[in-house]
Amino acid sequence: SQKKDTKQVLSILNNCVTNCSEKTPFSYYKLAFEQYDNGLYSEAFANLELLKAKENVLQTNEKKKLYELQSNCSIAISIKSSPIHFNPTNMGTSINTQFDDYHPAITVDESTFILTSNLPINTPQLLQEDLFFSTKYEKEWLARKAFLPPMNTSSNEGAQSISADGKTMIFTMCNAPNGLGSCDIYISYKVNNSWIKPENIGAPINSKYWESQPSLSADGRTLFFVSNRPGGIGKKDIWVSYVQKNGEWSTPRNLGKEINTKDEEESPFIHADGNTLYFSSDGHPGMGKKDIFVTQQITDTSWLKPVNVGFPLNTHDKESHIIIN
């Protein structure tokens, strides 16, 4: 009943503004924030204008919040006013279930589709992430199947990325017996049509912190991933590591302030062209919660300013984990 709760919250805040905005003008901000969070951008903007008329009684931090939210509303209104062509098709019951199905990956020949599912194990309360795959037969996706052990275990597996040739898979495993931190990145290879036991990719990529959501370049030599390790810019950042001449992975480098913000960046996806990067963020201006952005690499260490991919692909809800064929 999320919608009903939202209506109730907005109705209560509307009453509050009607009855107490004289004494507590900042109530306009609280109403505007909920409106923005629910995609009611113009209504939110109008309430912030009413608050602006009383800004002489606001504290410095309240003014900062007011201007920040109003700027976000303007950006969201602008994005929404020039929609992109976007008409998604549900992948159907061969792929989707009544539970959470997410983090897609696809081989370059588009014959194998891989996803993460969060399913009840033994009891409805206990959920576990596992890896599933589906193969294409005459343009239709066949009923998905779970990966067999040793790929799926009693730990959580998910957030996978597959190399262009379909023979290397990098994914996340959480709380595994040989893990270095809460979630680590693992690698497995396909030999004679079956996947060998995944190995922890080890330091310097994995640490005692959280590492997840790897994206492997088409040539298998560059790895983007998400971590909350120290030395970053925000809560969760995107990092990159390269295969060196000796075959080892380089010390991960933070992608820097052009891409990472003080908030969360996640679900990087490096396109097969090797220099177009898609990711999700709630730190760059957008439609609210998390939006998908795209950027291009200029040099080894610099990127173009990320661009919001637009509405209706992005909405006031959370969008993330995009892959582009």
Side-chain angles (χ1 to χ4, degrees):
S1 67
Q2 174 77 42
K3 280 201 171 91
K4 192 176 160 210
D5 292 351
T6 300
K7 271 188 176 159
Q8 208 173 352
V9 167
L10 288 170
S11 156
I12 290 166
L13 286 168
N14 256 315
N15 286 342
C16 179
V17 163
T18 308
N19 296 319
C20 60
S21 59
E22 283 305 314
K23 277 187 186 160
T24 51
F26 204 63
S27 57
Y28 278 115
Y29 176 89
K30 300 218 155 107
L31 172 58
F33 183 87
E34 282 303 319
Q35 288 171 325
Y36 169 77
D37 205 41
N38 287 286
L40 304 169
Y41 307 119
S42 303
E43 292 91 326
F45 189 91
N47 278 312
L48 293 168
E49 281 292 287
L50 293 170
L51 178 57
K52 220 193 256 180
K54 301 165 184 270
E55 72 175 314
N56 59 333
V57 298
L58 297 181
Q59 291 166 4
T60 310
N61 67 325
E62 291 177 333
K63 279 186 199 169
K64 189 178 171 228
K65 281 180 160 182
L66 156 64
Y67 281 98
E68 210 169 83
L69 186 59
Q70 195 164 40
S71 163
N72 284 350
C73 287
S74 297
I75 289 162
I77 290 165
S78 158
I79 293 168
K80 203 170 176 179
S81 69
S82 47
I84 56 166
H85 176 70
F86 179 66
N87 187 20
T89 309
N90 191 296
M91 289 193 73
T93 52
S94 297
I95 303 288
N96 291 317
T97 66
Q98 74 202 76
F99 302 102
D100 284 345
D101 308 292
Y102 46 94
H103 214 116
I106 200 164
T107 52
V108 162
D109 64 6
E110 297 188 30
S111 65
T112 307
F113 182 82
I114 304 166
L115 70 147
T116 303
S117 254
N118 201 16
L119 301 172
I121 302 294
N122 306 327
T123 69
Q125 287 74 35
L126 194 63
L127 295 170
Q128 181 179 304
E129 289 177 308
D130 276 331
L131 295 166
F132 289 78
F133 70 94
S134 168
T135 48
K136 200 181 252 187
Y137 178 70
E138 292 182 351
K139 296 189 178 173
E140 294 293 321
W141 291 106
L142 299 178
R144 70 186 212 174
K145 292 178 181 165
F147 276 86
L148 296 170
M151 294 296 272
N152 282 329
T153 68
S154 56
S155 299
N156 287 311
E157 291 86 20
Q160 65 293 333
S161 176
I162 194 156
S163 61
D165 62 7
K167 291 190 173 152
T168 303
M169 189 147 79
I170 292 196
F171 63 96
T172 311
M173 199 185 289
C174 298
N175 308 316
N178 62 344
L180 304 186
S182 56
C183 291
D184 276 356
I185 292 167
Y186 285 72
I187 191 164
S188 176
Y189 303 95
K190 201 175 196 180
V191 179
N192 303 331
N193 223 22
S194 58
W195 291 95
I196 62 169
K197 187 173 181 185
E199 283 180 13
N200 188 306
I201 214 165
I205 288 175
N206 288 325
S207 69
K208 66 179 182 183
Y209 299 95
W210 181 89
E211 280 83 30
S212 184
Q213 302 175 3
S215 180
L216 191 61
S217 62
D219 63 6
R221 301 187 68 78
T222 305
L223 179 68
F224 295 86
F225 66 96
V226 183
S227 179
N228 62 357
R229 67 215 291 154
I233 291 160
K235 298 170 190 166
K236 285 179 186 169
D237 278 2
I238 300 171
W239 299 71
V240 65
S241 174
Y242 305 94
V243 173
Q244 301 170 101
K245 285 197 174 87
N246 63 2
E248 302 284 318
W249 289 98
S250 66
T251 299
R253 193 183 72 235
N254 189 289
L255 282 198
K257 285 186 175 165
E258 199 61 78
I259 288 181
N260 291 318
T261 66
K262 66 179 181 6
D263 294 311
E264 289 190 358
E265 279 66 43
E266 62 170 30
S267 70
F269 172 76
I270 187 71
H271 188 274
D273 70 8
N275 77 335
T276 304
L277 181 74
Y278 293 83
F279 65 96
S280 183
S281 170
D282 56 4
H284 293 277
M287 311 287 292
K289 301 188 179 74
K290 281 198 174 86
D291 276 6
I292 293 165
F293 293 82
V294 62
T295 177
Q296 268 86 28
Q297 191 160 16
I298 313 166
T299 67
D300 273 0
T301 56
S302 65
W303 298 81
L304 288 176
K305 188 180 169 67
V307 174
N308 188 298
V309 297
F311 172 85
L313 199 161
N314 286 324
T315 67
H316 68 273
D317 284 319
K318 177 187 168 180
E319 282 77 35
S320 67
H321 305 99
I322 195 174
I323 57 165
I324 310 286
N325 66 2

